[in-house]
Amino acid sequence: MKDSELIGKVHSSVYHQCQKRGYAAPVDVLMDVGVLDKKKYEDWRYGRVPYLEAVCICNLRQLSFIMAQIRAYAKKAGYKPSFCYYKQWGMKKKNGQGHKPVRQLRFSKSGNPEIEKAYATHYVDRQRNAEIKVEQAFHAGKEESDPGAP
């Protein structure tokens, strides 16, 4: 895929994610543009893959390019960066008691803190986020006043 095509796909993905849920996540952009398979993403989330870059179907140059485009679009659109802690799914409690152990997931082979932070940063459209909250509150109020409504 040409860089120009990739730019369009990345920007479109970030825009549509923000319109739908008020924020965009790099891992979702990677899935949207076709460099990360949903099943492989789930394998990573469950800890069956040591780091996310290992299951992306493009080289590190392209991954870096995609990440740079996400940041560039988010900055241009005025989205607020927000760090998100990614932990492994499906951790079992020891003997059914106490807290579940928490294992932070790794994104890159190198483990470089700046690269890890870039992958874990979501971009929040504060205006759209506020609109979504108002819509949700409206719908919740509507359901309470008319429980039989579809």
Side-chain angles (χ1 to χ4, degrees), residues 19-73:
Q19 287 302 301
K20 183 177 180 181
R21 61 185 189 201
Y23 70 93
V27 292
D28 293 324
V29 173
L30 294 175
M31 285 189 276
D32 286 350
V33 300
V35 299
L36 176 61
D37 179 72
K38 186 173 172 39
K39 171 78 173 86
K40 301 277 188 193
Y41 166 75
E42 289 171 359
D43 287 344
W44 171 71
R45 287 305 302 254
Y46 281 108
R48 294 187 284 259
V49 175
Y51 54 93
L52 186 71
E53 289 177 347
V55 292
C56 290
I57 56 167
C58 66
N59 61 39
L60 291 178
R61 187 206 72 79
Q62 282 182 305
L63 277 175
S64 295
F65 181 77
I66 291 167
M67 295 300 293
Q69 287 304 313
I70 293 169
R71 288 189 300 275
Y73 183 82

Side-chain angles (χ1 to χ4, degrees), residues 124-142:
V124 180
D125 181 342
R126 289 181 277 195
Q127 182 179 344
R128 181 65 185 132
N129 222 1
E131 291 169 0
I132 290 169
K133 286 179 182 175
V134 168
E135 290 168 10
Q136 288 172 339
F138 173 76
H139 290 298
K142 191 174 180 181

Side-chain angles (χ1 to χ4, degrees), residues 3-4 12 24 34 43 45 51 53 56 68 71 80 84 86 98 101-103 116 121 123 144 146-147:
D3 283 355
S4 58
S12 176
D43 287 344
R45 287 305 302 254
Y51 54 93
E53 289 177 347
C56 290
R71 288 189 300 275
K80 180 182 177 237
C84 182
Y86 278 78
V102 175
R103 182 172 164 254
E116 296 295 313
T121 299
Y123 296 93
E144 285 177 15
D146 187 7

